[in-house]
Amino acid sequence: MYVEHLSLTGFRSYPQLETVIEPGITVFVGPNGVGKTNIVEAIGYLATLSSHRVSSDKPLIAFGEERAIIRGRFVRGEQHTSVEVEINAEAANRARINRSNPVRARDAAGILRTVIFAPEDLSLVKGDPSVRRRYLDDVMVALVPHQSALRTDYERVLKQRNALLKSARAAGRFSTAHESTLEVWDQHLAETGARLLSARLDLVEQLRPHVQRAYNELTDGSKAADLTYGSSVPSGSPSDAPQDPAEDDGAALSRGSDQLRGRSLSELTELFVATLMQSRKKELERGISLVGPHRDELILLLGNMPAKGYASHGETWSMALALRLASYYLMLQEDQVPGGDPVLILDDVFAELDVHRRTRLAEIVAPAEQVLVTAAVGDDIPGALLGRQIRVVPGGIAAGDPRSRAGAQDDAILPYDASARIGSDGSG
């Protein structure tokens, strides 16, 4: 799979940009701050409907604009597909696929598949559990796009249940009405949470051998990398659960999580409901849900020790890269249709790596169908990735590049057909 054309309107620093991209290796080169990352960020957004840099969509819209539009055309084998996503400041995001009528943005997720390596990946190892949960969920959706609805459903139920807990806390007492309503939301949370938990447990088992392989490829193999899933839902009696998952160090969460895998959805749901009942007093005191996938943890191991807090800087980078490579290997394994390779994006990552890791990563990713690299200086790029170069300058692509046109003073500015955008009334 590869991206052959990208168009941006009102996205980040680009009033308008159009560029043609070829399969193989393409390097976007330019000084820091000129917008190289904005280009690959837009491509990643078309794949996942989220940014690898920020948690909300608002920063993606150019200052003073009401919306940003990303258009991309992809090739998979003999199939050509176009996707347009409109990111709105005040309304729901919309999408069009192959110039069809507008649909929900999430319906476009997964048509393009990408794996992004970026300096922010250090947070996969050093950051909060929420970063690792997002990693799991993003890989899950990349493999099975309709799973985005499961994540959305869980977040919706969680929001409603938290609102009820806060209401009961504010009232200063837990009334009969609160109790009956909370029991309904307990069941909803347990059912959707059990499905999400089951999907994550299966995914961790799928990722484990690929993480082990990738870490060995990047290092001398003196330490073994591994994953385990820490659940706030105990595998046996609810009394096995940590008293407060939010404050747990991972050890208690990991107890028995292996035994959760293979349990039926009904069994997981029953365990979930029982744990919610046991945690009710604490939840009412704090006005927040303390049990569920939103409090779980992906535990990264090097040897017998957790990577977080114990890994050296180099080991941390190797683990972060191994997680990204593992998702790439898993996508290749799960989709062996010709042209199904995900697009690999390496966003300014080589400047952060030592020579050995640069070389090994470059050798591993170079054979992919399309590799997009950003770098401030060409010297940061290993020899294995010295492909075509596109020079990025303030405002867009350097004048004279035959592949690209952008809103720079000396460059041609493509007129934006406002009538073609996705209207807020649903018209195209």
Side-chain angles (χ1 to χ4, degrees), residues 164-406:
L164 180 61
L165 288 170
K166 290 176 183 176
S167 172
R169 182 187 182 207
R173 65 187 187 89
F174 188 51
S175 66
T176 303
H178 284 135
E179 182 175 9
S180 60
T181 307
L182 188 57
E183 287 176 356
V184 173
W185 286 111
D186 281 357
Q187 190 65 33
H188 288 325
L189 190 73
E191 289 173 355
T192 55
R195 289 163 54 208
L196 183 55
L197 173 58
S198 178
R200 284 183 182 173
L201 289 168
D202 288 343
L203 178 58
V204 168
E205 287 305 303
Q206 290 177 285
L207 283 169
R208 287 181 66 194
H210 297 298
V211 169
Q212 293 161 356
R213 167 192 169 186
Y215 192 84
N216 283 336
E217 290 174 336
L218 291 164
T219 66
D220 60 7
S222 60
K223 288 186 179 180
D226 205 354
L227 309 175
T228 188
Y229 188 83
S231 175
S232 54
V233 177
S235 62
S237 167
S239 61
D240 294 337
Q243 289 299 305
D244 186 349
E247 299 173 1
D248 186 68
D249 64 1
L253 281 176
S254 65
R255 278 203 310 265
S257 61
D258 289 342
Q259 285 72 42
L260 285 174
R261 188 171 176 271
R263 297 234 183 186
S264 67
L265 287 177
S266 61
E267 289 175 317
L268 288 176
T269 301
E270 289 175 8
L271 285 170
F272 205 138
V273 170
T275 309
L276 288 172
M277 289 295 295
Q278 189 201 33
S279 305
R280 178 163 292 180
K281 182 179 179 181
K282 270 190 172 296
E283 289 186 329
L284 288 168
E285 289 173 353
R286 297 182 57 173
I288 195 169
S289 300
L290 295 174
V291 177
H294 64 290
R295 308 298 280 228
D296 291 354
E297 166 72 294
L298 175 64
I299 301 166
L300 313 177
L301 300 170
L302 281 180
N304 295 321
M305 302 297 289
K308 183 177 181 180
Y310 291 90
S312 68
H313 184 70
E315 289 171 337
T316 299
W317 259 118
S318 293
M319 177 61 87
L321 295 172
L323 289 171
R324 293 301 185 196
L325 283 171
S327 65
Y328 172 60
Y329 291 152
L330 182 55
M331 290 181 199
L332 291 178
Q333 174 184 295
E334 294 298 303
D335 187 351
Q336 299 184 13
V337 176
D341 300 20
V343 176
L344 295 185
I345 297 174
L346 289 83
D347 179 23
D348 205 23
V349 72
F350 289 112
E352 305 288 334
L353 303 178
D354 59 36
V355 173
H356 172 75
R357 288 179 178 83
R358 284 186 192 182
T359 302
R360 290 298 300 126
L361 179 60
E363 291 171 347
I364 292 168
V365 304
E369 186 169 7
Q370 186 174 60
V371 184
L372 306 178
V373 184
T374 69
V377 293
D379 291 345
D380 286 342
I381 307 299
L385 291 178
L386 291 178
R388 294 174 297 277
Q389 290 198 2
I390 295 177
R391 189 160 60 91
V392 183
V393 297
I397 304 301
D401 191 317
R403 290 178 293 269
S404 310
R405 287 174 284 182

